[in-house]
Amino acid sequence: GNPAWHGLACSADGRTLAAVAFTGPIWASTNSGVTWSYTGGLFFNDLQAVACSADGQKLVAVSDNVYLGANPPPTNSGIFLSSDSGNSWTQANAPALTWFSAASSADGSTLAVAGYANAGGPTVYVSTNSGATWHPADLPNSYCHNIACSADGATIIVGVGWSGGMFASTNSGINWRRVDPTNAPGWTVSCSADGSTLVAGANPGPIYFSRDFGASWYQSDAPLTNWSSI
């Protein structure tokens, strides 16, 4: 049957595309979507998101459960990396959490992933060396379901789910501050290439935008509804 698509990434020139679905494998196109192929010969479960560098060479994909129903639970990270436009993949040396979202800087050196830890603990991890090593973000433990970053990887913004909240970093995840305009739940977030303009949609609620790295916010005239991607 048709896969349930969860995420899509695109290179700056629009030629390289990568798509992930509820059941893998990861699909890729290098001709702007005219033709598609399986990537890496790997099959993953419940892929949630994919991000890529501006040139489409470096990809990061995340899963919320690498092996569905596995007992004991999987110990591998559920973060998958490619440096050749998806032709081959490796698993990142990172915690095995429930990952929902991924972001990449333009050169693919800074990667950020957000998710949920059933047993508690950090739910946002950042890498500044293309996924070789990862460090946890100093954020409240929560359900973090959406993340975005600027082209240089310095600005990272993450939206929190059930408990609400939005946090931003301007030094690649070392320090964070709360920036949400209201205490609404389920923030989905995005940012401009330079990181100064932020856009956020609540679930449920309105869409807000900021032009000063989240210092001040303005409500748009978009409808009030359940925003899940922006």
Side-chain angles (χ1 to χ4, degrees):
N2 294 327
W5 299 107
H6 281 181
L8 181 70
C10 179
S11 61
D13 64 4
R15 290 191 57 81
T16 299
L17 306 172
V20 296
F22 184 77
T23 53
I26 301 169
W27 290 78
S29 171
T30 56
N31 54 14
S32 302
V34 176
T35 58
W36 292 80
S37 61
Y38 296 119
T39 67
L42 299 175
F43 188 89
F44 310 123
N45 282 320
D46 211 356
L47 291 160
Q48 292 292 322
V50 62
C52 72
S53 57
D55 63 6
Q57 290 290 310
K58 296 180 179 180
L59 302 174
V60 54
V62 294
S63 167
D64 76 353
N65 193 346
V66 179
Y67 302 113
L68 296 179
N71 188 15
T75 57
N76 44 11
S77 68
I79 303 172
F80 306 99
L81 306 169
S82 175
S83 59
D84 54 11
S85 299
N87 289 314
S88 60
W89 293 84
T90 59
Q91 283 188 298
N93 182 20
L97 301 184
T98 298
W99 300 112
F100 295 124
S101 185
S104 172
S105 61
D107 65 2
S109 61
T110 297
L111 306 175
V113 294
Y116 175 69
N118 290 318
T123 53
V124 171
Y125 277 75
V126 179
S127 172
T128 55
N129 53 14
S130 300
T133 58
W134 297 79
H135 64 268
D138 184 18
L139 292 172
N141 300 335
S142 188
Y143 168 86
C144 296
H145 72 111
N146 202 258
I147 199 164
C149 77
S150 58
D152 64 3
T155 297
I156 303 174
I157 180 171
V158 60
V160 178
W162 303 319
S163 59
M166 190 190 314
F167 296 86
S169 171
T170 55
N171 54 11
S172 300
I174 297 173
N175 303 111
W176 296 82
R177 59 191 173 91
R178 187 160 182 167
V179 297
D180 47 302
T182 67
N183 193 31
W187 289 108
T188 182
V189 296
S190 189
C191 72
S192 60
D194 67 359
S196 64
T197 299
L198 309 179
V199 186
N203 186 354
I207 291 176
Y208 293 90
F209 63 92
S210 170
R211 294 196 176 100
D212 53 12
F213 296 92
S216 57
W217 291 87
Y218 305 90
Q219 183 174 332
S220 76
D221 60 359
L224 275 66
T225 187
N226 298 311
W227 302 106
S228 60
S229 182
I230 197 163

